[in-house]
Amino acid sequence: MSVRRETVGVRREKGLAIGLLLFGGFLSIAMTAAAQEEDLATVSAALAPRAEVLIIARCSVCHSPDLVAQQRLPRARWEATVEKMKHWGAEISKDEADVLVRYLSARYHPGAPDHLPPLESEVRQAEPFTQDSVAEGPVTGVAARGAGIFEHNCQACHGTNAIGGHGPKLAKNPILKHEDLFWETVLHGRGPMPAWGSVLSHQEIADVHAWLSTR
Amino acid sequence: MTLSRRVLLERLLQGLGVAAIVNRHVPVVQAAGEELARNESGPLTIRVTRPFDAETPVREFRPFLTPNHRFFVRSHFGPPPPDAISEANWTLRVGGLVERSQEFRLKDLRQMEVVTITAVVQCSGNGRAFHRPKVPGVQWERGAVGNAEWTGVRLRDLLAKAGVQASARHVQLQGADRPVVASVPLFIRSIPLEKALHPDTVLAYEMNGRPLPLLHGAPLRVITPGWMADSCMKWLTEITVQAEESKGYYMQTAYRMPAIPVEPGAAASGKSIPVEAMVVKSLIAAPQEGETVKSGPVTIQGMAWSGEAKVVKVEVSLDEGKTWEPARLVGEDRPYAWRQWQLIWKAKTAGTFTILCRATDARGEQQPAMTPWNPSGFLWNGWDRVSVTVTA
C-alpha cells in the first residue's frame, strides 16, 4: 500500500513538472486532477477490503448499502453522514469510522462517475482479509460473553433476546443444534444476513452461539 | 477460504451500485416485508432496496392516473408488520389539545362522509439527483411523483369530533412504521392547523378505487393536496393536536429549506422553513430519453402541476430555451391533479434534438432552467429535458 502511494506521488510530481514546462497552467491543472483521481482510486482499492466488510456488517443493519453507494459527496459531508449514523446507532468504533470516511470519500466523491465499475477487480488486487477458517482451530463458547456480542452485532435484526425481528427468531432455533449450518450462515451470510467471518473472531461467534443456546 | 471470498464478493456486488445490480441481473438482496425487487424494465426503478424506495419510469406517466403498482414508493423504515395494521388491531388515536380524545377503527371511518380527491403526491426530494453540487439523500430523478384518486374522510371531520382547543396551532402525525434500531429518530411530522382543517385535506383508505396498498400506507394515510409528500403520513395511527411544530429530527432538521437561499455547496445554517407546497413543474412523458423517431409529425406529451395554483401554460423549446412554443393543455382539469399537455412537433431534419418543457401557473410562477441549490436537494423543478434522434 505504501509502495503504491509513493508511485502515485512521483507520477503526480512528474505530471506537474511537464505541465508547467510545456503548456503552463491549464495542462498542469488537468494532469493534477488526473493524478488525484488515480490517487483516490488507489486509496479506495487499498481500503476496500476493510471498508466493504464494515459497510455490509455495520451499515446495512438499517438500510441496504445501495443507499450509501449512490451518494457522491465531499469528505466533509461523508464525515457528517458517518457521524450521524453513529449517533443513530451504527456500531462502529472511531477507528472504523475513520476507515469508512476515508474509503467513502475516495470512492464516492463528487467527481466519481454515476456508474462506478464493480469492485471485483479492486477486491481481487487487495490483500486477503478473511480469517482462514482452519487457522483458529476449535473454540469453546462462553455464554456470558455472548450476550454483549449479540447485542452489538445481531440484536438490531434478530430482536432483543433473539426473539426475531427483521431477521428470524434465533432463540430455540433448530439451527443452533446444527453447528455446521450455524457456522456456515454466520461466517458467510445468506441473502440479507451479513457475513461475519471477517468482523467477528471465531471465539466471538462461539460465544454468541453459546449464549443463544441458553435462550 | 476461496469460497468465503467468492460469497462475500457476490454479496458486495449485490449490495453496491444499482448499476451493477441492474446490468448483471444479480438477484437483489431481499428482506421480509419488501416487495419483489424489479429492474429497469419493471414497473418501478429501485433506488433503495431496504427500506424499499422506488420511482416510476417516466414513460408510465402517459395515463392521467398513475396505477397503484407503478406509483413511486418511499418511506424511512419500510412498512410496519402487517398484523400491526390489520383491521382487527389497527386504531387511530386523536389526542393532545382536544376536548375529547378519540379512538377510531376502520369501521368508524367508513361510516363518516366519504370524499374523493384527485391529487399529485410528490416526494420532496424528487429530482435531487440533478442538484449540483450533489447532495446526500436518495438520488431520485424524475419519477418520485404520481397522480391518483384518494378516497377517505376529511381530517377536519375527525378533529371536529374531538373538538380542537383554542390554543391549538399544529397537528402532529405519526405512523406505525418503526426503525429497526430504537435509537433512530421516529418519523414524526406536523402540519399547521390551517392545513389540517382545510376541507381538501383527507385521510385516505382507498387509492384509485382500491384499498390502500401496504406500501402506500395501509390502512390509512394523510393526503395534503398541493403539498409535498413529507406531510402525507403513511400507516397513520396517531394524531396529536398541539401548540407547537413537532420536535425531532424529521420536523426540525430534515425536510426543511434555508429561509434565505444559500450559496451552492454551503452547509445548512441559519433560519429554515419546512418544505410544504409544491412548486410548478412539468415532465415530458413521450418521446422518451434516447428514443429514435421518424421525421414528420411527432407527438410530444407530458404532464404539469403546481402546488395550490392551476397550471395555465406549458411551453416546449427545441433550441435550448431560446424560443418557446405553447403546448395544448388536454384531458381532465381537476384542482390538485396534474394537467396533461401535448404538442405536435414537425420534425423535418434528421439529427439529434433536445426537447425542453416548462410550465407556468396562475400566480405567474414559472419553472426555472435550474432550481436554486439547497443543502438537502428539495423541490427540484428545473426545465425537463429529453434528447431524441430524428431519422429521415
Side-chain angles (χ1 to χ4, degrees):
Chain A
M1 189 167 112
S2 58
V3 176
R4 272 197 216 128
R5 277 242 179 84
E6 270 162 32
T7 321
V8 171
V10 170
R11 233 180 263 152
R12 180 163 50 187
E13 272 160 35
K14 213 164 104 196
L16 263 171
I18 296 173
L20 287 167
L21 266 171
L22 295 182
F23 307 104
F26 177 75
L27 187 59
S28 88
I29 289 166
M31 294 194 73
T32 311
Q36 275 168 355
E37 189 67 31
E38 218 173 304
D39 211 2
L40 290 175
T42 313
V43 171
S44 68
L47 293 173
R50 253 195 99 191
E52 288 305 326
V53 165
L54 289 170
I55 291 172
I56 302 294
R58 304 296 183 189
C59 304
S60 310
V61 168
C62 305
H63 48 71
S64 48
D66 45 13
L67 178 58
V68 180
Q70 67 189 257
Q71 313 297 328
R72 296 288 179 274
L73 304 173
R75 192 180 170 115
R77 293 219 85 161
W78 274 122
E79 268 165 13
T81 302
V82 170
E83 193 48 44
K84 180 165 85 175
M85 298 305 143
K86 209 177 157 194
H87 178 65
W88 283 355
E91 291 278 351
I92 44 169
S93 66
K94 221 183 140 307
D95 175 53
E96 288 168 337
D98 181 58
V99 168
L100 279 170
V101 168
R102 279 194 291 146
Y103 172 73
L104 293 167
S105 41
R107 183 165 167 85
Y108 305 112
H109 60 90
D114 282 353
H115 299 293
L116 282 165
L119 282 160
E120 201 162 1
S121 55
E122 298 176 9
V123 174
R124 242 194 238 124
Q125 278 168 18
E127 313 103 82
F129 54 93
T130 39
Q131 291 157 344
D132 203 332
S133 312
V134 284
E136 288 190 32
V139 284
T140 314
V142 179
R145 280 200 306 246
I149 300 167
F150 180 87
E151 191 191 329
H152 287 292
N153 299 285
C154 325
Q155 187 164 302
C157 298
H158 291 287
T160 2
N161 273 318
I163 54 161
H166 163 59
K169 176 175 171 179
L170 294 179
K172 305 210 164 43
N173 188 314
I175 200 172
L176 296 172
K177 298 239 160 62
H178 298 275
E179 284 218 32
D180 48 342
L181 206 57
F182 176 87
W183 279 87
E184 168 64 26
T185 312
V186 177
L187 282 174
H188 304 142
R190 199 177 75 203
M193 158 78 180
W196 296 93
S198 41
V199 177
L200 299 178
S201 70
H202 285 215
Q203 183 63 58
E204 287 170 316
I205 295 172
D207 293 345
V208 172
H209 182 267
W211 178 78
L212 284 171
S213 305
T214 66
R215 297 293 96 195
Chain B
M1 160 100 194
T2 334
L3 176 74
S4 75
R5 283 280 290 278
R6 191 179 51 75
V7 171
L8 182 62
L9 189 68
E10 273 170 21
R11 199 118 311 138
L12 299 183
L13 290 172
Q14 284 173 3
L16 289 158
V18 181
I21 292 169
V22 170
N23 297 339
R24 294 162 147 263
H25 297 283
V26 180
V28 176
V29 180
Q30 282 294 310
E34 285 164 13
E35 258 215 4
L36 272 186
R38 299 153 168 141
N39 63 22
E40 291 285 344
S41 62
L44 291 170
T45 304
I46 295 169
R47 294 285 164 224
V48 182
T49 324
R50 173 176 53 86
F52 189 70
D53 289 330
E55 64 181 275
T56 312
V58 176
R59 62 167 189 274
E60 306 294 352
F61 285 140
R62 273 167 290 186
F64 176 65
L65 295 177
T66 315
N68 294 359
H69 71 287
R70 293 202 160 128
F71 210 93
F72 82 96
V73 177
R74 161 68 170 149
S75 74
H76 300 79
F77 316 129
D83 61 316
I85 48 161
S86 66
E87 176 126 23
N89 295 333
W90 180 87
T91 57
L92 171 65
R93 282 171 296 276
V94 180
L97 298 175
V98 294
E99 304 302 337
R100 306 161 292 277
S101 292
Q102 303 280 313
E103 203 167 289
F104 297 92
R105 320 213 65 165
L106 271 181
K107 61 174 180 3
D108 305 323
L109 299 182
R110 290 206 192 93
Q111 271 151 25
M112 294 172 60
E113 189 190 340
V114 183
V115 286
T116 295
I117 275 192
T118 309
V120 170
V121 168
Q122 180 180 205
C123 176
S124 310
N126 191 24
R128 175 176 292 128
F130 304 127
H131 283 282
R132 292 293 177 280
K134 293 196 175 183
V135 294
V138 179
Q139 298 298 302
W140 300 110
E141 293 181 3
R142 301 157 72 209
V145 59
N147 186 46
E149 256 176 18
W150 308 97
T151 300
V153 295
R154 290 187 185 91
L155 173 53
R156 76 162 179 193
D157 292 351
L158 268 73
L159 292 174
K161 282 184 195 277
V164 172
Q165 292 182 11
S167 56
R169 293 291 176 276
H170 297 266
V171 174
Q172 173 172 297
L173 309 164
Q174 193 185 335
D177 53 330
R178 291 290 176 276
V180 289
V181 175
S183 45
V184 171
L186 294 177
F187 186 62
I188 298 175
R189 305 261 320 152
S190 64
I191 56 175
L193 184 65
E194 195 190 356
K195 186 70 178 174
L197 294 178
H198 193 287
D200 295 331
T201 296
V202 299
L203 306 181
Y205 47 71
E206 277 179 18
M207 177 176 181
N208 290 326
R210 316 272 314 163
L212 193 63
L214 178 64
L215 285 173
H216 295 290
L220 195 73
R221 80 174 295 179
V222 179
I223 297 293
T224 48
W227 281 25
M228 285 292 196
D230 48 325
S231 303
C232 300
M233 186 63 66
K234 293 174 170 181
W235 309 295
L236 186 70
T237 52
E238 304 270 351
I239 295 175
T240 315
V241 180
Q242 42 194 46
E244 308 283 338
E245 249 180 24
S246 289
K247 304 205 165 30
Y249 177 80
Y250 285 104
M251 192 68 205
Q252 295 307 325
T253 305
Y255 297 112
R256 295 185 87 88
M257 303 264 289
I260 303 157
V262 296
E263 281 294 306
S269 65
K271 211 173 135 39
S272 65
I273 47 169
V275 171
E276 293 179 340
M278 288 193 254
V279 287
V280 64
K281 188 163 175 176
S282 59
L283 287 182
I284 301 163
Q288 289 158 48
E289 175 61 33
E291 197 174 322
T292 299
V293 295
K294 271 184 85 74
S295 64
V298 175
T299 305
I300 303 174
Q301 56 176 304
M303 354 60 94
W305 66 96
S306 188
E308 289 155 322
K310 208 174 147 79
V311 167
V312 294
K313 188 164 71 178
V314 176
E315 297 160 293
V316 171
S317 173
L318 288 148
D319 55 9
E320 282 296 333
K322 285 196 230 28
T323 61
W324 294 89
E325 199 181 330
R328 208 155 54 89
L329 300 180
V330 296
E332 307 255 4
D333 182 8
R334 299 187 205 165
Y336 304 102
W338 60 34
R339 190 74 199 269
Q340 294 169 292
W341 57 266
Q342 65 177 49
L343 179 117
I344 310 295
W345 168 38
K346 289 174 203 74
K348 292 194 193 87
T349 43
T352 306
F353 295 85
T354 301
I355 308 169
L356 301 176
C357 75
R358 70 172 185 203
T360 308
D361 72 16
R363 293 167 307 188
E365 297 288 329
Q366 188 171 73
Q367 262 182 280
M370 305 270 288
T371 305
W373 188 90
N374 62 86
S376 300
F378 292 131
L379 298 175
W380 173 266
N381 71 335
W383 298 341
D384 200 35
R385 170 183 291 267
V386 158
S387 295
V388 295
T389 303
V390 177
T391 55

